[in-house]
C-alpha cells in the first residue's frame, strides 16, 4: 500500500511516498534518484506522527535529496541570478539582468541570452516570469511543429493545449485534442517532434502496441533515444519553478 504525501523539508515542499508494510518492525527512510523519498512504516503506525518524525530527520532527508538533485534537473533551480543558465530547445540560455528592459513580460530571447528586466529580480518573481515566458514559447514552438508533422503524417487534430502536468510530457483525448507540457520546450527539437508524433499516432492507435511503435518509427526512427532522454529528464516535470 503506497500513498503520496507532502512535507516541508528545510522550507521546501516535497512529495514523498508512504508505504505500509506488514513485515516492517520500525520506520525506514529511503531516498532514490527516480522516486525521491519513501517512508516505510509498520502496518499499525499512526500517520499523524509522520510530520514530527520527518521533522526530526529533516537534515538527513535534505542531504540525501540534494545528492540526487543535480542528476535530476541540472538547470532548473529555485532561485535564479544573473549569469545562471536555463534550458531551451536543448541548449543553455544565459540569464542576463537588464535595466529598463521593456520586452514582452520583461523577458526576451536574444540568441543564447535570455534578457530579463532587473525589476523581476528585485521582486523575487523571476520564476513566475520565466514560466510565463516558457509557456508562451511552448505554445508557439509546439503548435508550429504539430501543424507541420500532422500534415506530414496525415493525421488531423482539433486543438492544442499547453499545460503543467506533473507526470507527463504529452497526452491526447478521444476528442482529438492534444496536450503538451510547457517544460517540453526545454528539450531538443527532435525530442519535441517525437512527443508530437507519439501523440498524433495515438489518434490512430490508442495504445502502445507493436503496431503503434511501427507507425511512430515511420516518422521518427530514433524514437527509442528520445524516449530515453525524456525518461532521464522526467524529474524536471516535478521539480523547479513554481512547484
Ligand atoms: Zn503513448
Amino acid at each position: 500500500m503506497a500513498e503520496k504525501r507532502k512535507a516541508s523539508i528545510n522550507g521546501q515542499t516535497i512529495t514523498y511516498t508512504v508505504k505500509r508494510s506488514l513485515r516492517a518492525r520500525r520506520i525506514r527512510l529511503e531516498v532514490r534518484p527516480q522516486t525521491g523519498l519513501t517512508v516505510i512504516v509498520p502496518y499499525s503506525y499512526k500517520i499523524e506522527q509522520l510530520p514530527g518524525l520527518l521533522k526530526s530527520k529533516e537534515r538527513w532527508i535534505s542531504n540525501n535529496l540534494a545528492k540526487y538533485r543535480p542528476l535530476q534537473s541540472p538547470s532548473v533551480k529555485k532561485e535564479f541570478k544573473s549569469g545562471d543558465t536555463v534550458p531551451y530547445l536543448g541548449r543553455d540560455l544565459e540569464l542576463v539582468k537588464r535595466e529598463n528592459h521593456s520586452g514582452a513580460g520583461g523577458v526576451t530571447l536574444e540568441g543564447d541570452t535570455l534578457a530579463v528586466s532587473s525589476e523581476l529580480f528585485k521582486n523575487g518573481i523571476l520564476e513566475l516570469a520565466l514560466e510565463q515566458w516558457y509557456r508562451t514559447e511552448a505554445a508557439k514552438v509546439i503548435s508550429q511543429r504539430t501543424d507541420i508533422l500532422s500534415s506530414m503524417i496525415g493525421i488531423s487534430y482539433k486543438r492544442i493545449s499547453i499545460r503543467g502536468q506533473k507526470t507527463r510530457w504529452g497526452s491526447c483525448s478521444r476528442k482529438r485534442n492534444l496536450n503538451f507540457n510547457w517544460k517540453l520546450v526545454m528539450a531538443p527539437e527532435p525530442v519535441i517532434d517525437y512527443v508530437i508524433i507519439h501523440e498524433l499516432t495515438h489518434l490512430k492507435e490508442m495504445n502502445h502496441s507493436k503496431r503503434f511503435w511501427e507507425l511512430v518509427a515511420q516518422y521518427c526512427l530514433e524514437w527509442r533515444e528520445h524516449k530515453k532522454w525524456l525518461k532521464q529528464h522526467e524529474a524536471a516535470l516535478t521539480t523547479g519553478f513554481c512547484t
Side-chain angles (χ1 to χ4, degrees):
M1 238 174 33
E3 188 194 331
K4 297 260 179 229
R5 297 180 76 92
K6 283 191 191 302
S8 170
I9 297 294
N10 279 349
Q12 262 201 327
T13 305
I14 64 154
T15 303
Y16 66 99
T17 311
V18 186
K19 273 190 193 158
R20 283 189 184 278
S21 158
L22 281 170
R23 272 178 304 168
R25 302 236 150 194
R26 50 186 188 86
I27 293 154
R28 201 152 48 88
L29 302 185
E30 267 178 16
V31 174
R32 298 264 154 82
Q34 296 298 328
T35 47
L37 173 67
T38 303
V39 184
I40 298 124
V41 300
Y43 205 79
S44 58
Y45 184 79
K46 290 200 183 65
I47 291 294
E48 308 89 79
Q49 296 179 341
L50 265 180
L53 172 94
L54 294 179
K55 192 87 204 148
S56 70
K57 303 274 181 200
E58 200 168 34
R59 209 190 155 96
W60 183 90
I61 296 168
S62 146
N63 286 344
N64 279 279
L65 286 174
K67 257 198 272 178
Y68 295 121
R69 202 159 291 133
L71 198 137
Q72 289 180 334
S73 62
S75 323
V76 183
K77 46 181 173 173
K78 249 193 134 56
E79 257 178 64
F80 296 98
K81 53 183 191 322
S82 199
D84 280 348
T85 58
V86 292
Y88 174 72
L89 299 181
R91 62 184 210 263
D92 278 338
L93 302 179
E94 192 189 346
L95 289 181
V96 175
K97 201 188 230 178
R98 286 271 165 82
E99 302 297 331
N100 306 316
H101 186 58
S102 58
V107 182
T108 48
L109 178 62
E110 299 164 4
D112 279 340
T113 294
L114 200 56
V116 180
S117 165
S118 53
E119 327 233 311
L120 294 174
F121 281 91
K122 270 183 217 153
N123 295 342
I125 48 169
L126 188 52
E127 289 80 9
L128 272 175
L130 286 178
E131 179 174 334
Q132 199 46 56
W133 178 79
Y134 271 118
R135 280 180 180 269
T136 311
E137 284 301 306
K140 220 159 53 188
V141 171
I142 294 169
S143 338
Q144 237 173 40
R145 290 306 299 164
T146 309
D147 259 358
I148 294 168
L149 292 166
S150 127
S151 42
M152 192 175 90
I153 304 173
I155 299 177
S156 65
Y157 64 97
K158 243 192 204 145
R159 203 159 37 82
I160 292 181
S161 312
I162 300 298
R163 298 196 177 168
Q165 312 101 305
K166 295 250 166 73
T167 52
R168 39 182 50 178
W169 295 102
S171 63
C172 62
S173 74
R174 295 200 179 269
K175 290 181 181 160
R176 308 185 76 77
N177 294 324
L178 305 175
N179 309 307
F180 296 100
N181 200 301
W182 60 268
K183 288 181 177 174
L184 189 57
V185 82
M186 296 176 179
E189 277 157 321
V191 175
I192 300 177
D193 278 5
Y194 157 68
V195 175
I196 297 170
I197 291 168
H198 184 123
E199 296 311 329
L200 282 170
T201 306
H202 271 320
L203 298 181
K204 219 173 184 178
E205 287 279 323
M206 272 285 184
N207 52 51
H208 290 124
S209 60
K210 195 166 169 256
R211 168 97 188 116
F212 169 82
W213 290 112
E214 277 166 8
L215 288 172
V216 169
Q218 275 180 23
Y219 297 95
C220 183
L221 268 178
E222 267 119 41
W223 64 268
R224 277 192 185 83
E225 275 168 52
H226 302 325
K227 214 171 154 226
K228 210 162 112 194
W229 190 97
L230 292 164
K231 186 95 200 133
Q232 280 165 349
H233 293 81
E234 209 166 53
L237 291 172
T238 48
T239 55
F241 289 92
C242 308
T243 53

